[in-house]
Amino acid sequence: MKCFWVLGSLCLLLTNWSRGFDLNRTEVVFDDEMAARWSPLFVPLTLIQSAAAKGAVCLDGSLPGYHLHRGSGIGANSWLVQLEGGGWCNDIRTCLYRKKSRRGSSYYMERQLQFTGILSDRPEENPDFYNWNRIKVRYCDGASFLGEGYDPASGLFFRGQRIWLAAIQDLMSKGMRNAKQALLTGCSAGGLAAIQHCDEFHALFPGSIKIKCLADAGMFLDAFDVAGQRTLRSFFSGVVNLQGVSVNLPKSCTSRMNPFLCFFPQNVLSSVQTPLFLLNSAYDVWQLQGSLATKAADPHGYWMECKMNNAKCNTDQIQFLQGFRNQMLNYVEKFSLSSKAGLFINSCFAHCQSERQDTWFENNSPSIRNKGIATSVSDWYFDRAQVKLIDCPYPCDRTCHNLIFNKLY
């Protein structure tokens, strides 16, 4: 007899790319013996009751929240805060759509979430962080926890920055102020947020405390799409202008370029003073589907099969994607010179590799020069080694867990 456990985080849901990146669920089959010794960890949602008085509310005005699993033993005073990802909304229409989902309202959020990968509580799955206090902060603003504004006509609250502050303040009151070490991380839109909030997070703690940041799949590039247009630049401009994001972007960046360009991590990396690790695929599947080869840029569907399965990309398409990889490597070159920086950029067709158990820490997890993702992050965080790993170009890496789709939504 077989039993099924929902693990989450494999397929991409792209209902309309402007509604943002989402994660659908998949099922992994275990036999009875495995199920008997493996019990998934589900962590309840905590709504931040003090947030309403601060105006720190989701798009629809509901309370924000997080999931906290307490640390134990020697990890009791160590804290890992993960910022949830889930795309953005760039105009009133897409934000109204979003507010009727878990990405814009806590009324639709799951009351329990499974913790896997970097959030797992099992040492065999998460050797260095399993016994830390581990938190997933829910994402319900649509601007990477950076917005500040309100639209009275639609009743939309753009309060990402306030949500970030309310969540952090609540966690500080629950013991994080006594942290001996901490790591701020995030995936996708949450990875972008981890970069933008990294120094702000560091400033909350005494200088003697080890504070670092990990951005997973957060390097969204200001790149030309397959039609020669800057799709993501136009989209991010809408996000920043609609949601009043510019006031919360680094002044060192906004003083020298248009504020919406400072939403792109490539333009703020040089200003981040806190040790930062970039975990990214050089062929990020969200960027392939959501900004490089959108339906608008590819109206005749020339890229459709390639977007669904990298093995079906032709020579010209691979050449284009190699150019995208080269852009990413150019943007991180200067960043990588810092002794505080960490890098793991593999040549996989993937997105968000720290949340999924199969990519974070398993026997066959993706690796570069025989070093996996969890080991790389941990060696960097604990100063066991400098980690600056960049994979050879596709298709040389045989350890990849490439995402393959049956259909695009």
Side-chain angles (χ1 to χ4, degrees), residues 88 144 146 187-197 215 218 220 236 263-265:
W88 310 270
S144 288
L146 287 163
C187 154
S188 193
L192 186 153
I195 296 171
Q196 296 282 3
H197 285 298
F220 295 92
F236 276 179
F263 199 66
F264 285 100

Side-chain angles (χ1 to χ4, degrees), residues 302-327:
Y302 175 72
W303 279 82
M304 181 59 70
E305 289 192 344
C306 177
K307 290 192 295 184
M308 294 172 67
N309 185 343
N310 58 279
K312 296 184 178 181
C313 297
N314 62 37
T315 303
D316 290 340
Q317 291 167 334
I318 292 297
Q319 184 177 358
F320 176 88
L321 294 173
Q322 301 295 20
F324 178 77
R325 171 183 179 270
N326 290 339
Q327 288 181 68

Side-chain angles (χ1 to χ4, degrees), residues 103-257:
R103 301 302 188 205
S105 171
S106 59
Y107 294 126
Y108 297 95
M109 290 178 184
E110 305 89 336
R111 265 33 199 177
Q112 290 188 324
L113 276 187
Q114 186 178 352
F115 274 20
T116 60
I118 198 171
L119 296 176
S120 172
D121 67 335
R122 301 175 66 86
E124 63 269 30
E125 296 177 348
N126 190 22
D128 287 296
F129 304 109
Y130 74 95
N131 59 352
W132 285 32
N133 297 282
R134 300 169 325 285
I135 302 97
K136 179 187 281 285
V137 181
R138 299 305 298 268
Y139 179 38
C140 63
D141 64 279
S144 288
F145 298 91
L146 287 163
E148 177 54 53
Y150 174 69
D151 182 68
S154 63
L156 288 166
F157 294 86
F158 304 126
R159 300 289 173 78
Q161 178 72 18
R162 298 195 203 188
I163 291 172
W164 151 259
L165 290 172
I168 293 301
Q169 289 165 2
D170 203 58
L171 292 170
M172 295 293 272
S173 73
K174 292 184 176 179
M176 193 168 71
R177 64 165 54 97
N178 301 315
K180 302 301 182 185
Q181 55 189 352
L183 175 65
L184 176 67
T185 182
C187 154
S188 193
L192 186 153
I195 296 171
Q196 296 282 3
H197 285 298
C198 186
D199 286 341
E200 195 177 347
F201 184 70
H202 194 180
L204 296 169
F205 301 92
S208 59
I209 305 301
K210 182 191 290 288
I211 305 295
K212 297 188 178 184
C213 305
L214 162 65
D216 180 4
M219 275 297 292
F220 295 92
L221 301 188
D222 182 17
F224 288 103
D225 63 23
V226 297
Q229 303 299 313
R230 292 187 184 269
T231 296
L232 200 54
R233 176 183 287 197
S234 175
F235 183 78
F236 276 179
S237 175
V239 174
V240 170
N241 292 328
L242 174 70
Q243 299 210 35
V245 171
S246 59
V247 296
N248 295 314
L249 295 171
K251 300 298 184 290
S252 58
C253 180
T254 58
S255 63
R256 58 187 173 85
M257 63 179 66

